[in-house]
């Protein structure tokens, strides 16, 4: 019955949205090519979540925002939720690229840790751009599922300031969660703007003895050299003390949650970037960015005390964009060079409390170009190609015991290519249809290049990069009121990297090989509208992801929901009072041991009010208190949050 009610709400939201007028969609900008442009000029399916869509709705994390996003699901293989696009499942960490301001956040070590996308204050976010299915020409390895780019605020204003506080409670155990923070920006001197923000949080969860508390701060400076030139400098720091509960055992139907002993860890991330932009007479644009990011998870208590996982990356991204010809017989040409140097440091305790350390490094140099040529007002063609040369450096140590003394140092290199061709037909002033073919790659992580044997030690295995081919057909229609996109896709992968691990954590036989082949078939629909007194959306995705060759040939890829349907609306009930809500239906999926994870529906409602500079909102998440699991295998599980309540207040000067 709850599913029927949810689907009825989806249909009513959509039908009601058709009757309202006046949109703001044309104002949205995207950076799918690395340069900002109106969303209407982009042929492919791109989803934008702007700050108006998630502000004043009680969200406290990026994950909460993305739960309602088109095409986005989450994959939890034990360390926490990884962002997933187009059914990557347990490989989402290496197959979906997540960035903050164009800087990759994915770690180099594929076997440990969690991508630190949720180490940012959402009050610092301007918008989130979601590019499903590919992006290897512009962004390189690891974009088979797609790209998620979190864009932070710059706020070039003479002066602004705001204060906010958020709080809430879980109905099941009464645990409280809360955040408070402030941001301020000012023009210091002519053409020089500075913005700072700070946040503190103390959040208990729906599981006893589990909590997270810490702080986040950022500083952003912009100097407008001229109308055509700008320099941006930004840095941020995040630190959190985390107490994470172990998994629940299925053999214990009534676990004593008060006796849970959590694992304690400190999560730290800091980064810096400097970006230079120049628009040469609107014919040539240049973008140059240097960046550095550090993240570390260090375990303080529990069975993993003394272990840590650290990731560091620095690099340089350069791009030039040249506009040529007339609007009906011209186009633009982008050429770029990317340099990144990423290292991962791991020290983990094994069965007898002695440590094994791994130090890996990947140095990548890439050249790429993308050209879009408009042959007429009706037909355009996009061509792109990327070449990547990667150099790997691997150092591994294992303690000495009465059986063996293992150590390893070695270097390897790889060469990879990606290319894309996308013809587009504009069948009207508001509609486009496109066909995209992309050949992409996922180069192995340094750890995947080395096999582990309990007596022979470490040895290179000679594995190759995974290569995939994607064919996508889509249509986009943007009227004055509604933006609609529909796409279908087929992705086939070969040389997928398979891991076979046997034995105990201390003495393991770990073999990597290129034996798996997979194929993904799916469809995605997104309809969204934005008017004076209502905004509404409906989206859906269907995925059939299977292993077609390898050890588990014929089986579904684990941790991939068969479908996701989401809808929501924000309605101005009175002049200064809005009501809003959303419904999301997740389909069945499989665990890593191929048990079925049942489908479930989550419903959220809320209201927000405005009075002068004060905004207050309150609401209920998981309104019907649906039981579901965020992680599950044959013997254990992690339950999702039940019904919870929140309230938020902010004041802007």
């Amino acid at each position: 019955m709850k599913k029927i009610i949810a689907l009825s709400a989806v249909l009513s939201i959509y039908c009601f949205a058709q009757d309202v007028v006046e949109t703001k969609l044309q104002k949205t900008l995207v950076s799918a090519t690395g340069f900002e442009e109106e969303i209407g000029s982009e042929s492919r399916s791109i989803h934008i979540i702007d700050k108006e869509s998630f502000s004043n709705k009680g969200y406290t994390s990026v994950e909460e925002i993305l739960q309602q996003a088109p095409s986005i699901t989450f994959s939890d293989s034990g360390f926490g939720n990884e962002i997933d696009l187009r059914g990557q499942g347990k490989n989402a960490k290496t197959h979906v690229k997540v960035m903050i301001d164009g800087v990759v956040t994915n770690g180099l070590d594929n076997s440990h840790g969690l991508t630190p996308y949720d180490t940012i204050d959402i009050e610092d976010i301007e918008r989130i751009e979601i590019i499903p299915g590919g992006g290897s020409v512009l962004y390189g390895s690891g974009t088979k599922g797609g790209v998620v780019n979190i864009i932070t605020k710059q706020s070039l204003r003479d002066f602004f300031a705001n204060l906010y506080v958020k709080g809430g409670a879980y109905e099941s155990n009464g645990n409280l969660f809360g955040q408070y923070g402030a941001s301020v920006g000012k023009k210091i001197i002519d053409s020089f703007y500075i913005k700072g923000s700070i946040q503190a949080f103390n959040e208990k969860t729906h599981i006893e003895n589990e909590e997270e508390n810490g702080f986040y701060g950022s500083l952003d400076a912009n100097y407008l050299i001229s109308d055509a030139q700008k320099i941006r400098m930004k840095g941020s720091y995040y630190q959190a003390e985390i107490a994470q509960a172990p998994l629940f055992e299925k053999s214990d139907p009534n676990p004593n949650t008060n006796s849970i002993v959590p694992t304690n860890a400190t999560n730290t991330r800091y980064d810096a970037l400097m970006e230079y932009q120049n628009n040469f007479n609107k014919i040539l644009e240049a973008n140059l960015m240097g960046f550095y990011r550090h993240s570390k998870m260090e375990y303080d208590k529990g069975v993993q005390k003394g272990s840590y996982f650290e990731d560091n990356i620095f690099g340089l991204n350069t791009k030039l964009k040249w506009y040529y010809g007339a609007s009906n017989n011209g186009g633009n040409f982008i050429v770029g060079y990317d340099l990144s140097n990423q290292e991962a440091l791991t020290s983990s305790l094994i069965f007898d409390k002695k440590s094994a350390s791994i130090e890996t490094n990947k140095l990548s140099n890439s050249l790429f170009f993308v050209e879009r040529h408009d042959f007429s007002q009706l037909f355009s063609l996009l061509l792109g190609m990327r070449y990547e040369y990667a150099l790997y450096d691997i150092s591994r140590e294992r303690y000495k015991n009465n059986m063996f003394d293992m150590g390893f140092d070695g270097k390897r290199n790889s060469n990879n290519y990606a290319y894309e061709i996308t013809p587009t037909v504009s069948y009207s002033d508001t509609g486009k249809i496109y066909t995209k073919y992309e050949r992409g790659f996922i180069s192995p992580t340094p750890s995947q290049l080395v096999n582990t044997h309990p007596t022979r030690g470490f040895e290179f295995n000679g594995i190759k990069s995974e290569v995939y081919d994607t064919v996508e057909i889509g249509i986009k229609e943007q009227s004055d009121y509604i933006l609609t996109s529909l796409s279908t896709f087929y992705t086939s992968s070969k040389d997928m990297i398979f891991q076979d691990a046997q034995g105990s954590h201390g003495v393991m036989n770990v073999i990597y090989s290129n034996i798996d082949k997979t194929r993904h078939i799916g469809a995605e629909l997104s309809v969204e509208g934005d008017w004076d007194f209502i905004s509404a959306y409906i989206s859906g995705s269907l995925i059939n992801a299977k292993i077609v060759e390898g050890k588990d040939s014929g089986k579904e890829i684990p941790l991939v929901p068969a479908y996701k349907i989401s809808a929501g609306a924000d309605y101005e009930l009175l002049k200064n009072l809005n009501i809003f809500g959303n419904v999301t239906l997740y389909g069945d999926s499989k665990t890593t041991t191929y048990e079925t994870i049942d489908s479930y529906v989550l419903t959220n409602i809320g209201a927000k009010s405005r009075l002068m500079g004060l905004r207050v909102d309150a609401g209920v998440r998981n309104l019907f208190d649906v039981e579901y699991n965020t992680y599950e295998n044959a013997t254990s599980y992690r339950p999702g949050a039940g019904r919870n309540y929140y309230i938020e207040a902010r004041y802007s000067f």
Side-chain angles (χ1 to χ4, degrees), residues 456-467:
R456 295 199 306 267
F458 301 110
E459 55 190 10
F460 278 120
N461 51 34
I463 65 169
K464 300 175 288 186
S465 297
E466 177 185 346
V467 176

Side-chain angles (χ1 to χ4, degrees), residues 405-573:
D405 180 10
M406 298 201 300
F408 181 84
D409 287 284
K411 298 180 185 292
R412 281 292 187 271
N413 62 69
S414 69
N415 297 273
N416 292 288
Y417 302 87
Y419 42 85
E420 176 186 342
I421 177 170
T422 304
T424 301
V425 175
S426 299
Y427 58 83
S428 70
D429 292 339
T430 59
K432 299 179 179 180
I433 185 168
Y434 69 91
T435 302
K436 183 184 82 169
Y437 167 72
E438 178 180 17
R439 188 268 196 190
F441 64 90
I442 300 170
S443 54
T445 66
S447 297
Q448 291 174 332
L449 293 173
V450 179
N451 289 345
T452 305
H453 192 273
T455 57
R456 295 199 306 267
F458 301 110
E459 55 190 10
F460 278 120
N461 51 34
I463 65 169
K464 300 175 288 186
S465 297
E466 177 185 346
V467 176
Y468 62 88
D469 297 279
T470 295
V471 177
E472 179 178 336
I473 300 174
I475 185 170
K476 288 181 63 176
E477 178 71 36
Q478 180 175 345
S479 69
D480 289 338
Y481 314 114
I482 296 176
L483 174 63
T484 303
S485 63
L486 172 65
S487 61
T488 61
F489 63 89
Y490 175 89
T491 299
S492 176
S493 299
K494 67 176 183 178
D495 292 329
M496 190 172 178
I497 299 171
F498 174 79
Q499 176 185 343
D500 185 14
Q502 300 174 357
S504 68
H505 196 200
V507 184
M508 275 187 114
N509 188 40
V510 183
I511 304 298
Y512 292 99
S513 55
N514 296 110
I515 63 172
D516 280 4
K517 291 185 179 180
T518 65
R519 67 110 178 96
H520 295 67
I521 301 174
E524 297 162 336
L525 169 69
S526 175
V527 182
E528 53 186 306
D530 193 358
W531 301 270
D532 277 348
F533 60 92
I534 185 172
S535 61
Y537 73 90
I538 179 171
S539 66
S541 60
L542 300 173
I543 299 286
N544 185 289
K546 283 193 173 181
I547 302 168
V548 296
E549 187 174 311
K551 179 182 177 182
D552 297 312
S553 178
K555 294 183 179 180
E556 296 178 24
I557 294 177
L559 310 179
V560 179
Y563 54 88
K564 177 186 176 184
I565 301 172
S566 184
D570 187 326
Y571 178 65
E572 187 178 22
L573 186 64

Side-chain angles (χ1 to χ4, degrees), residues 7-152:
L7 290 174
S8 299
V10 167
L11 294 174
S12 62
I13 288 168
Y14 177 66
C15 294
F16 179 64
Q18 302 295 308
D19 298 326
V20 205
V21 293
E22 198 168 331
T23 185
K24 303 167 189 170
L25 290 171
Q26 287 97 335
K27 298 180 181 179
T28 305
L29 298 175
V30 298
S31 57
T33 62
F35 295 90
E36 289 192 337
E37 56 188 20
E38 290 185 2
I39 191 171
S41 63
E42 174 59 43
S43 300
R44 294 160 294 181
S45 295
I46 297 174
H47 307 299
I48 307 296
I49 307 175
D50 58 26
K51 60 181 182 292
E52 286 78 16
S53 301
F54 57 79
S55 62
N56 294 100
K57 292 185 179 176
Y59 292 129
T60 59
S61 67
V62 173
E63 181 177 331
E64 288 179 355
I65 296 172
L66 292 178
Q67 282 174 349
Q68 282 76 49
S71 306
I72 293 277
T73 58
F74 292 90
S75 171
D76 187 346
S77 56
F79 287 95
N81 278 336
E82 293 285 352
I83 297 172
D84 195 1
L85 280 164
R86 293 193 171 177
Q88 308 311 306
K90 64 180 181 179
N91 293 316
K93 183 177 180 179
T94 55
H95 288 52
V96 176
K97 182 157 286 188
V98 183
M99 302 183 293
I100 299 177
D101 289 322
V103 178
V104 62
T105 65
N106 303 70
L108 187 62
D109 183 0
N110 66 294
S111 58
H112 298 93
L114 180 69
T115 302
Y117 62 87
D118 236 342
T119 57
I120 183 172
D121 180 6
I122 67 169
E123 301 296 326
D124 218 15
I125 297 175
E126 179 70 22
R127 65 183 183 273
I128 301 175
E129 301 175 359
I130 303 168
I131 310 172
S136 57
V137 171
L138 281 168
Y139 298 111
S141 173
T143 62
K144 176 183 172 184
V147 176
V148 176
N149 193 11
I150 301 169
I151 309 295
T152 60

